[in-house]
Structures are given as C-alpha cells and as structure tokens.
Amino acid sequence: MSDSASPLNEPAANKKPSANREQWSSRLVFILAATGSAVGLGNIWKFPYITGEFGGGAFVLIYLLCIASIGIPIMMAEIMLGRRGRHDPVTTMKKLAKESGHSRSWGLLGWMGVIAGFLILSYYSVIAGWAMAYVPRMAAGTFVGLDAEAVNSVFSTLVSSPETLIAWHTLFLFMTMSIVARGVRGGLEKAVTYLMPMLFVLLVILIFYAMDTGHFGQGLSYLFNPDFSKISTEGVLSAMGHAFFTLSLGMGAIMVYGSYLPDNTSIAKASISVAFMDTLVALLAGMIIFPIVFANSLEPGAGPGLIFKTLPLAFGQMNYGTFFGTLFFILLVFAAWTSSISLIEPAITWAMKTFQISRVKASVTSGMLVWFMGLFTVFSFNLASDVTISSVISTKYGEFVILKDATAFDFLDYLTSNIMLPLGGLMIAVYAGWLMKKEYSRDELSIGLWFPIWSVLVRYVAPVMVIIVFLNAMGVVAFVRSIMGV
Ligand code: TRP
C-alpha cells in the first residue's frame, strides 16, 4: 500500500507501528501463526466426534460448504478489520466505526469476542489436559495389546478423577499463559514452523495404518457419502458453528493476528491457505478415526472421548506404536497450545490497553479467571456429570432440540460455537460488507476482479446463511413452511 493510499486518521499507526506493536516478520509467519491458531483440538478431537454424533456425510458436506461460503469470506473480513484497526478487537471496532462514521457500540463486537475467548479457553484447556495426560501413558506402553474395552476404561478412569483433570488443566493453562505473557510472536513462530509440519507428517503415517484396517472404505463412505435423512436442524447449526470454531473466527482472534500483519500481505491468499490446511487436517483426522471405529465395532457417536478411545487402540496394535503414539499426543498438545494462545490474546491486548497494565499482569489475572471457569468443565465429566439442562421446544410443527441433557461443558460449547461465534461472524460480515467504506475494503484486500465476488459473499451469502441456520435451529423455518404449506 502506498502512503497516499493510507486514508487512516492516524497514518503513523499504519505506516510505523508504535514501539509496543509487534509485527509478524513475514507473510509466511502470519500464515503459520493463523494456521497454528486454526489447527487444534477442533480438527483432531472435535471434528471427528461431532461428525460421529451427527451421523457422518451430510454433516461433513454442510461443514465444507460453510467453510467455503462463510468461513473464507469472513476470515478475509476479520483479518482486514484487524490490520486496518491495529489494536485489540474492542478498540479496533470502535476506531473503524468512527472512521466510517458509525456508532461506537461496534466495540461490543470486540467485547463479545473477549468473553467468547475466555469461555472457550476454559474448556479447551481441560481437553488439552486430557491430551497431555495421554503422553506419559503412551510412553509407558499402557495401551500395547489392549482391546477396545480396556482402552475405554483408561479414558473413563482419567475423566472420573477431578484431581487429575485439574492438575493437567493447570499445567496446560500455565504453559499457555507463560507464552502469552512474553508476547505471542517469539514463542509462536518456532512452534508453528517446526511442529505443525511434523503433526501433519504423523497424520499421513496414521492414514496408512487406517488403510490397513480393512475398513478404510467404510470410513470414507461414512465421511463422504451424505445421507440427509440423518441430519437434524441441530446438526446443521453445529456444522456451521464448527466452521467458525475450527477457523478461529468470529471472536477477534484472527483480528488480533491480522493487526500484526504487514501492510503488503495478500489477505485473500493467506485466508485461503489457512482454510485449506485446516480442512485438510480435519479430514485426515476423520479418515484415520472412522476406519478404526468400524474395525473395532466402536460407536461413532461416542462423544468427546472418541479420539481417546480409538487412537490408543491403533497405537497399541501398530509397529512402533509406543513411539508414534507418544509423539502424536505431544504434537496434539502443541497444536492445542498454538490455538489456545490465540483464544486469550484478544482479552490480553484489551486488558493491557484498558487497565494500562503490563502483559504479564494481564496474563496472570486472565489465567486465574480462566482456570476457575475451567472447573465447570472438569466437574462435567465426574462429580457433576448428572447436573444437566435440556431445552426442547415441542410444537405441532415438530420438536426442536436446543440442548439435550447438556452438562456445563456441553452448554459452554453450545453457547460459544453455535451462538457466539456465528453471531460475531455475522456482525463482522455486516460491518465489513455494508458499513465499511468500499474504498477502504477494496484498498485493504487488493484482490482486483475478485472484489465483487467477495463483496457478494460477505454482504449477502454469509449473513443470510447464518440467519437462516439460526432461524432453522429455533424452529422458525419449519413454522413458516407449515403455514405456507411447503
Ligand atoms: N480453531 C481452534 C481449533 O480448531 C480453536 C480456536 C483457537 C478458536 N482460537 C479460536 C476457536 C478463536 C474460536 C475462536 O482447535
């Protein structure tokens, strides 16, 4: 971008970041960091288990559609807003709203993101703790030669102990906050440059194992052969919610990463590469896990324990399984680590600015808050596993399951992935597509003839899809259809 094309009120902020405003050292590093944020438990732990819960192919197809038509355009919008604002999400939104002459209440979008990040990290850290707990178990050869039932009971024993879960949650959160306290750039660049590619190689090795199970075809057909009779309105909502979750969209994480992005980087290319790699990892994970599920007559809908019940079984049977298994869980923890950093980064940058405190202080305080919140998730799997809420609306047009026997963990996950992230994404799309001056977005994106396409996607396609899916899940669509007799 040339100087004259810099229409910011404070051109200095755009040309030369202030001393404490770091920038990524290159476009590649940004892509790696954004991929590090995107690829995490969402791909390897969550994608397979929700695919199993919602019946396979149809869910996967809707998820892929959402990535392409909502995810990529909104990711471009979010990075663009971040780079233009160059602040924490709250300040960025206020500043941009002012620049285009809109209400400062757009800062609320940043706020919702800060809260969503907190809530997600609180359970994310507990699940990452499970992955950590599997490292020593793998290394000790606990799973060698075990059958499905025995592998299952290792998992049940782990999650039934609140002390153990709290210990690992504490350790994981400590690891996350100590990186965040030092500033994301230094720690992150190395982790993403070497460890992410290693995780990828390991997944490819596991694919070969999956091909050997004799059930690879069945696994593929489960994933890629859509059976729309199996998909519920709740499944559609979850597929869309997961598209936001897995790309780290809708809460300002990618906005903050975008705020460190040098001006001359192509946002479109970066977004497409991140979305591509993220999707590839999720599909690989699915292609590994479902053949193992079918080969061992396991339940695809086993829930959040799915990968912990399937992968150790595979490692327990394969050559060098102890080595590969240990390495796998170590890399999974790293993948979770690079994601969790981005979950809390918006809150940290916001707290530093708002309370004028140091990064360290902001990190310690937020870490403690997240730790306490995490206890809800810890107890969801043991002491409080029977404390659940359900919200099912039955009407003469059908039954609408909003939540069924949801533990605190299920509730947090539903609230964040299915409501807060799509809502945040919707607001980002509306802001970037309708309210931001076209000359600004055109200048930031510099995608030439693609601009009108992006514009249609963020103005119409993404918002309309999000709204329809919301209304659908609330039963409104069925209601209208029955009235109109269609
Ligand atoms: N995308 C990450 C994963 O799939 C999780 C994550 C990191 C995230 N940062 C986020 C989700 C911001 C939503 C918003 O594991």
Side-chain angles (χ1 to χ4, degrees), residues 239-382:
M240 179 181 78
H242 188 63
F244 284 97
F245 184 92
T246 192
L247 295 177
S248 305
L249 292 182
M251 50 86 48
I254 291 297
M255 198 183 282
V256 171
Y257 279 18
S259 76
Y260 307 129
L261 188 64
D263 283 327
N264 51 10
T265 313
S266 159
I267 292 180
K269 280 190 203 143
S271 303
I272 292 171
S273 348
V274 173
F276 176 79
M277 288 188 272
D278 185 78
T279 309
L280 191 62
V281 171
L283 295 179
L284 280 177
M287 285 157 55
I288 292 163
I289 285 158
F290 288 106
I292 302 175
V293 167
F294 296 123
N296 295 281
S297 314
L298 297 168
E299 193 36 65
L306 186 66
I307 65 158
F308 298 96
K309 295 173 181 174
T310 48
L311 293 179
L313 199 55
F315 290 125
Q317 292 163 359
M318 66 198 269
N319 293 332
Y320 309 107
T322 300
F323 171 74
F324 284 133
T326 311
L327 188 60
F328 177 84
F329 280 100
I330 292 176
L331 295 174
L332 181 58
V333 171
F334 272 106
W337 197 12
T338 53
S339 300
S340 61
I341 290 168
S342 77
L343 280 163
I344 200 67
E345 182 65 11
I348 301 293
T349 47
W350 169 80
M352 281 164 61
K353 168 154 196 309
T354 309
F355 305 116
Q356 295 292 322
I357 50 177
S358 67
R359 201 166 240 288
V360 172
K361 209 161 176 188
S363 306
V364 173
T365 335
S366 337
M368 283 179 354
L369 278 171
V370 173
W371 187 85
F372 275 108
M373 271 306 295
L375 299 182
F376 283 97
T377 295
V378 166
F379 297 137
S380 294
F381 291 94
N382 37 64

Side-chain angles (χ1 to χ4, degrees), residues 13 23 55-56 89 122 124 129 152 173 207 210 227 229 259-260 294 361 372 386 430 436 461 464 477:
Q23 280 202 14
S122 79
Y124 206 86
N152 239 324
L173 201 56
I207 282 282
D227 173 357
S229 66
S259 76
Y260 307 129
F294 296 123
K361 209 161 176 188
F372 275 108
D386 51 354
V430 167
M436 187 162 178
V461 179
V464 168
V477 171

Side-chain angles (χ1 to χ4, degrees), residues 379-459:
F379 297 137
S380 294
F381 291 94
N382 37 64
L383 306 179
S385 59
D386 51 354
V387 182
T388 59
I389 56 167
S390 291
S391 156
V392 179
I393 305 172
S394 19
T395 67
K396 57 181 171 176
Y397 312 107
E399 206 170 65
F400 296 95
V401 182
I402 309 257
L403 281 170
K404 188 131 194 246
D405 298 328
T407 60
F409 158 72
D410 298 324
F411 175 75
L412 278 174
D413 179 39
Y414 188 93
L415 176 70
T416 51
S417 306
N418 291 6
I419 301 174
M420 294 175 88
L421 299 179
L423 203 59
L426 175 65
M427 290 169 68
I428 290 171
V430 167
Y431 188 85
W434 292 94
L435 300 179
M436 187 162 178
K437 293 210 175 92
K438 272 229 162 107
E439 53 191 275
Y440 295 165
S441 46
R442 189 174 288 131
D443 177 46
E444 286 286 342
L445 293 178
S446 310
I447 43 176
L449 292 174
W450 290 95
F451 185 78
I453 299 179
W454 172 81
S455 191
V456 168
L457 289 171
V458 284
R459 292 179 77 145

